[in-house]
Amino acid sequence: MTEGSGKHSCESASETLEWIKAIVEFIKPYDSIISAHVVNFFKDRLWESLDQQWIHCLSHEPVQHLLLIPSGVVQNHWPASLKQFVITLRSLVFPREQVDLNKVLTGLNFTSVSSVLGQGMNVKKKHEVEVLSAVVSSVANSVKAQTVVDVGAGQGYLAQVLSFQYHHSVVAIDACSHHGKVTKARAERIKKHYTAQMCKFDAGNRVLNMPRTITCHVMSVDTLKSLTNMSLHENVGQPELCGVAADSSTSLVLAGLHACGDLSVTMLKAFLECREVKAVISIGCCYNLLSEECFDIDSSHCGFPMSSGVNSLGISLGKNSRDLACQSAERWRSLDKDTGLQNFELHAFRAAFQMVLCKYYPEMAKVTPSIGRQGKALRRQQQRRILHSVHEENKPLIEPQRISSMEEICLSMLPTESKSDENLALELGGDALSHNGTMRSKANVHADKYLLFEKFSQSGLSRLDLKPSEDINLHETWKEAEPFADLIGPFWSIRAAFGPLLETLILLDRLLFLQEQGCSIETTMLPIFDPVLSPRNVAIIAKRR
């Protein structure tokens, strides 16, 4: 087996644009796959959109091989065209392996988050805050910034580490007033602890920085510019608007840890438009919430594309494609066989349920409603527990334990009174063991899968406040879908491989937007987090020269 390796560069605007063009050219023939929604797998017979030689080959592959496709891993016995497709796709993806920050950032002073500051953080958040706070502090020191503005601060974890541990003046902006109150209360508790420590060790008259909180929906560049001006005014007493002549000594740094949707875009634009903002560190997420250029939106306010170069190519993605950009090859790769099969089966049940909606509730089907969040939440909670135990015991994260059984997931979606049905069992094809250890026949496996689908559908209807009708024939629907259910794994694996490539396209567009401003801006793009812990791990860092 082999993996693809990138050969492209984004050191200059011209190189970045060439990389983008190569991606756009590659994805054009696969638009129907990229823009598809997996819930329509059976309804639209999506497996027919793949090369039939590929789908035939992959339908006989073990699930472990399917889970490696998004990482660019191919098998020697695959058709040459399939191998070439996977390798070429992977070669166009921006590398996600965590970079050695000490080699690329000068003056980096990495410090582990103290137990006091780390209270309430899970493993993922602690990793992100530890790394990003060191990066932001390094950048802020390099541009001699007076204040760091934490955009989309949430509960203020990053802001508090920058304040108490790195001793920066920090303003935390978030749209949620509850987050602002939590940030302020948490900061007060932390301040009391550090004050007591200073008294204990006779630290003199050292003043502790506390992050200031601002609750505001940052809906535009102008809003963010006003907030940054407010930060300057509070710090240095200057009432001028951003962009108007100000003391050259005043300076801010904008930082965003997974600033959602257009908020990351707004940060980059505010950096260019507000001279007092000397640097920006942006790590985006939630690409599905990005705005795209359309007839009723001015292109200057769009989240994608940002750059003139991508805009000239006339490419649009659409919500399904932007949602796909959030798929993580590393997360796929870390799943074990059982968890992978469970994920594929959940997709099959959801796609079959969509057939029910289309036939009996066509108006509801048009909006592609979201259901089954409890099942997804359960998987995520258990995954976090696994990650936490692995890091606590200092074990390598290679083969995560089984997250949950299909039975647990489906039962978790049901009303409480329905959870007593102990006859449901997880069956993954072929003869299988029942709970008491006896062999089950394929007929029983078929029956059990239908029972799981029936429970899934009943739960789905309940969640959508739809009354079950006597006319609904769930058995007929499952009978129609089941012969093709095993093809959902191969299709979803191929489609998921486009995720990192689409994220690369979105990130390169942002990078190119900054590079197009000329030599006055120094820009770099770095994967700063462990991609298994934090899939959205690429930071765009820009400074005024």
Side-chain angles (χ1 to χ4, degrees):
M1 57 179 65
T2 55
E3 290 192 46
S5 57
K7 300 176 182 177
H8 298 272
S9 173
C10 53
E11 293 295 318
S12 66
S14 60
E15 290 174 323
T16 302
L17 184 57
E18 285 305 307
W19 192 341
I20 289 170
K21 287 179 178 178
I23 293 173
V24 171
E25 192 64 28
F26 179 84
I27 64 178
K28 274 182 182 177
Y30 304 103
D31 181 67
S32 62
I33 298 171
I34 293 171
S35 60
H37 200 307
V38 75
V39 301
N40 297 319
F41 183 76
F42 298 121
K43 181 178 75 71
D44 294 343
R45 300 179 68 86
L46 294 179
W47 62 90
E48 294 180 353
S49 61
L50 282 182
D51 184 302
Q52 292 307 291
Q53 189 182 21
W54 296 6
I55 201 79
H56 176 75
C57 169
L58 295 178
S59 65
H60 295 88
E61 284 295 291
V63 68
Q64 297 95 318
H65 291 177
L66 298 180
L67 295 173
L68 292 175
I69 289 175
S71 294
V73 180
V74 303
Q75 309 301 321
N76 291 329
H77 61 273
W78 286 1
S81 60
L82 176 57
K83 288 192 287 187
Q84 188 60 49
F85 163 81
V86 174
I87 292 171
T88 303
L89 187 157
R90 192 63 189 175
S91 72
L92 291 167
V93 171
F94 186 79
R96 297 302 198 283
E97 183 179 353
Q98 186 179 14
V99 71
D100 184 346
L101 290 169
N102 287 305
K103 293 182 178 179
V104 294
L105 292 178
T106 57
L108 188 75
N109 179 25
F110 182 87
T111 306
S112 296
V113 171
S114 69
S115 58
V116 175
L117 285 167
Q119 285 183 358
M121 298 186 198
N122 59 26
V123 173
K124 175 178 180 288
K125 183 61 68 177
K126 185 179 180 184
H127 169 69
E128 292 169 344
V129 170
E130 279 186 341
V131 174
L132 186 57
S133 59
V135 171
V136 172
S137 182
S138 170
V139 172
N141 290 336
S142 71
V143 298
K144 297 180 173 57
Q146 293 173 313
T147 301
V148 176
V149 181
D150 183 4
V151 183
Q155 297 189 37
Y157 295 133
L158 176 65
Q160 287 153 9
V161 172
L162 286 168
S163 289
F164 291 110
Q165 196 155 295
Y166 288 95
H167 313 301
H168 289 286
S169 171
V170 182
V171 176
I173 301 173
D174 197 85
C176 177
S177 59
H178 173 69
H179 283 167
K181 293 174 183 176
V182 170
T183 300
K184 194 170 183 179
R186 192 172 184 274
E188 290 287 355
R189 292 196 301 272
I190 295 170
K191 183 180 180 180
K192 286 181 180 178
H193 169 82
Y194 277 99
T195 301
Q197 291 295 102
M198 288 164 61
C199 292
K200 181 178 179 181
F201 295 103
D202 191 22
N205 298 320
R206 191 179 123 204
V207 177
L208 283 174
N209 286 319
M210 278 225 349
R212 296 186 306 285
T213 60
I214 298 175
T215 298
C216 180
H217 283 273
V218 181
M219 304 299 292
S220 68
V221 175
D222 288 339
T223 304
L224 188 52
K225 285 166 65 177
S226 298
L227 293 172
T228 56
N229 177 66
M230 186 188 305
S231 304
L232 286 168
H233 179 71
E234 288 181 357
N235 275 320
V236 296
Q238 290 187 329
E240 294 90 343
L241 292 174
C242 271
V244 178
D247 187 332
S248 60
S249 66
T250 62
S251 59
L252 297 170
V253 168
L254 298 182
L257 174 54
H258 296 149
C260 197
D262 283 349
L263 188 54
S264 294
V265 171
T266 301
M267 288 174 60
L268 300 181
K269 292 180 178 178
F271 163 65
L272 294 182
E273 295 184 23
C274 188
R275 297 296 302 177
E276 288 73 28
V277 178
K278 304 302 182 184
V280 61
I281 303 98
S282 170
I283 305 168
C285 73
C286 302
Y287 306 123
N288 54 307
L289 300 179
L290 278 174
S291 60
E292 281 199 71
E293 186 175 0
C294 56
F295 295 112
D296 57 349
I297 295 179
D298 188 312
S299 61
S300 63
H301 296 296
C302 282
F304 180 86
M306 289 189 71
S307 66
S308 299
V310 177
N311 195 50
S312 68
L313 299 177
I315 184 175
S316 63
L317 295 177
K319 184 181 181 302
N320 289 346
S321 299
R322 287 184 274 110
D323 193 46
L324 180 59
C326 297
Q327 287 294 317
S328 164
E330 289 75 22
R331 285 279 175 91
W332 274 67
R333 190 171 189 158
S334 68
L335 296 177
D336 63 11
K337 171 187 173 182
D338 289 342
T339 306
L341 284 168
Q342 290 155 16
N343 285 337
F344 293 154
E345 285 200 335
L346 271 179
H347 281 305
F349 288 157
R350 179 61 184 88
F353 179 67
Q354 188 72 5
M355 296 171 70
V356 174
L357 293 180
C358 289
K359 186 171 183 178
Y360 301 103
Y361 307 93
E363 292 303 313
M364 179 63 72
K366 289 178 182 178
V367 299
T368 314
S370 176
I371 66 167
R373 291 297 179 186
Q374 285 186 16
K376 292 181 180 179
L378 175 66
R379 293 205 311 272
R380 288 174 183 145
Q381 288 167 9
Q382 292 183 332
Q383 180 73 75
R384 283 196 292 268
R385 286 199 294 270
I386 292 164
L387 290 172
H388 180 74
S389 64
V390 166
H391 278 256
E392 284 295 310
E393 298 172 18
N394 199 27
K395 294 178 180 177
L397 185 62
I398 298 175
E399 292 185 333
Q401 306 167 33
R402 178 170 175 165
I403 294 178
S404 60
S405 72
M406 180 64 69
E407 181 180 1
E408 288 173 323
I409 292 173
C410 286
L411 288 177
S412 75
M413 295 172 58
L414 300 177
T416 305
E417 62 271 15
S418 301
K419 293 186 180 181
S420 60
D421 185 355
E422 296 179 356
N423 293 321
L424 293 178
L426 169 62
E427 306 297 352
L428 301 173
D431 289 337
L433 290 174
S434 67
H435 288 302
N436 61 16
T438 59
M439 293 299 293
R440 317 273 323 271
S441 68
K442 289 184 178 179
N444 284 334
V445 172
H446 168 84
D448 284 343
K449 283 194 176 182
Y450 167 67
L451 283 175
L452 286 170
F453 170 65
E454 185 178 50
K455 294 295 183 183
F456 186 100
S457 299
Q458 290 170 352
S459 172
L461 293 174
S462 174
R463 284 169 178 269
L464 298 174
D465 294 324
L466 298 174
K467 292 184 179 180
S469 167
E470 293 182 0
D471 297 332
I472 297 178
N473 190 334
L474 293 177
H475 191 272
E476 190 66 30
T477 299
W478 184 245
K479 185 178 177 182
E480 182 182 347
E482 189 178 31
F484 307 103
D486 289 342
L487 300 181
I488 206 163
F491 175 84
W492 185 224
S493 300
I494 288 289
R495 185 171 184 270
F498 284 99
L501 185 61
L502 293 169
E503 183 182 24
T504 296
L505 175 59
I506 292 170
L507 293 174
L508 289 178
D509 170 55
R510 296 176 182 183
L511 180 67
L512 181 59
F513 169 74
L514 294 170
Q515 290 175 331
E516 287 173 343
Q517 311 308 314
C519 60
S520 62
I521 305 296
E522 177 187 333
T523 310
T524 186
M525 195 160 81
L526 300 170
I528 66 171
F529 302 142
D530 178 338
V532 176
L533 277 175
S534 182
R536 309 277 76 78
N537 74 332
V538 178
I540 294 178
I541 303 171
K543 296 191 288 187
R544 298 189 187 280
R545 292 189 187 278

